[in-house]
């Protein structure tokens, strides 16, 4: 067991909070981001800037060559991004096939290289309805596999698994985090759209905490 963890860091608000939570818990953090052909790189830009300012080791892995085997999602293909809440059936269009299994496998390899004892990622309770690879049973199985896949066991952990986005934001506010350093919207325009599932859930989290989102929106928040 070491005091080092690899945090899968997209640049969005959940992984941003997770990154700082790991540091607050006393872990040395290696941040790992992925370019898998998502619609924009606004999140990756945020991740780069935050890690630079914190002096955290940060790697961005380009896996766009795998696009043909991760296609069919509104996040990676020429498909309209659905608007509305994650509970709606139309939001299944945002599922990227097998994404977390692929990203966690690569992150486990990096953890072995970096001497980390675990990979942390930001799956949370609000993801369960729509994303199969964010559900507790998936994480439990991935944890079991990654502990035996190498000579050095690596745990797969989702510290926010039992929390919704509002509770995650509450933790970040407790840490004094600045959420203008994050990007959540599925669209990569100058302002967040305020209508996609990711924006809707983010705005609900801020409303639940009685604070104003510092990010600018195209529609009134």
């Amino acid at each position: 067991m070491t005091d080092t963890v690899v945090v899968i860091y997209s640049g969005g608000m959940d992984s941003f909070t997770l990154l700082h939570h790991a540091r607050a818990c006393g872990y040395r953090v290696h941040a790992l981001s992925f370019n898998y052909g998502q619609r924009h790189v606004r999140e990756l830009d945020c991740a780069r800037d935050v890690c630079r300012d914190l002096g955290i080791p940060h790697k961005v892995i380009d896996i766009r060559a795998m696009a043909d085997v991760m296609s069919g999602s509104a996040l990676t293909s020429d498909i309209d991004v659905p608007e509305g809440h994650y509970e709606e059936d139309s939001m299944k269009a945002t599922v990227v096939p097998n994404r977390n299994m692929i990203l966690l496998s690569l992150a486990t390899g990096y953890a072995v290289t970096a001497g980390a004892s675990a990979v942390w990622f930001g799956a949370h309770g609000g993801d369960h309805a729509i994303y199969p690879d964010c559900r507790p049973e998936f994480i439990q199985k991935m944890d079991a596999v990654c502990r035996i896949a190498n000579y050095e066991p690596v745990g797969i952990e989702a510290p926010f698994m039992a929390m919704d986005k509002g509770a995650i934001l509450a933790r970040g506010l407790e840490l004094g985090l600045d959420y203008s350093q994050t990007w959540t919207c599925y669209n990569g325009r100058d302002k967040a759209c305020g209508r996609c599932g990711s924006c809707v859930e983010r705005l609900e989290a801020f409303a639940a905490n009685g604070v104003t989102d510092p990010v600018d929106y195209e529609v009134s928040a």
Side-chain angles (χ1 to χ4, degrees):
M1 180 70 69
T2 74
D3 62 352
T4 301
V5 296
V6 171
V7 173
I8 296 181
Y9 181 31
S10 68
M13 66 177 288
D14 299 331
S15 59
F16 173 74
T17 309
L18 185 65
L19 184 85
H20 286 84
H21 175 68
R23 284 166 51 87
C25 289
Y27 289 100
R28 291 185 295 178
V29 172
H30 288 252
L32 185 61
S33 305
F34 295 93
N35 184 343
Y36 55 86
Q38 54 266 55
R39 281 179 171 263
H40 60 81
V41 294
R42 290 288 299 270
E43 282 183 309
L44 295 179
D45 289 341
C46 288
R48 179 200 62 220
D49 293 344
V50 168
C51 290
R52 180 196 62 223
D53 292 346
L54 293 174
I56 292 176
H58 180 220
K59 292 187 180 295
V60 179
I61 308 300
D62 189 339
I63 58 171
R64 286 176 293 175
M66 300 180 66
D68 286 347
V69 297
M70 298 175 69
S71 62
S73 168
L75 304 190
T76 57
S77 302
D78 189 18
I79 301 171
D80 289 340
V81 175
E83 298 178 355
H85 199 277
Y86 274 125
E87 297 292 338
E88 298 176 21
D89 194 62
S90 62
M91 295 308 294
K92 289 181 180 178
T94 64
V95 175
V96 178
N98 213 33
R99 177 177 63 179
N100 281 344
M101 180 173 283
I102 293 168
L103 303 191
L104 288 168
S105 295
L106 294 170
T108 297
Y110 180 45
V112 172
T113 301
S117 62
V119 172
W120 285 22
F121 80 120
H124 62 83
D127 291 330
H128 299 177
I130 198 69
Y131 298 118
D133 58 1
C134 288
R135 293 172 183 165
E137 53 268 38
F138 170 80
I139 296 167
Q140 291 163 7
K141 298 297 185 182
M142 283 298 295
D143 177 66
V145 167
C146 291
R147 288 183 183 277
I148 63 171
N150 298 279
Y151 288 116
E152 301 84 356
V154 174
I156 302 298
E157 301 180 19
F160 296 157
M161 174 53 59
M163 301 165 66
D164 62 16
K165 211 175 193 76
I168 294 170
L169 177 59
R171 172 57 176 154
L173 295 174
E174 179 185 351
L175 292 171
L177 303 186
D178 176 7
Y179 283 92
S180 69
Q181 297 178 304
T182 68
W183 184 264
T184 299
C185 183
Y186 285 146
N187 297 292
R189 300 190 286 267
D190 290 339
K191 295 182 179 181
C193 73
R195 295 180 295 270
C196 68
S198 194
C199 280
V200 168
E201 189 183 40
R202 176 177 173 131
L203 288 168
E204 288 178 347
F206 275 90
N209 281 276
V211 292
T212 301
D213 190 346
V215 169
D216 291 329
Y217 285 86
E218 295 174 349
V219 298
S220 175

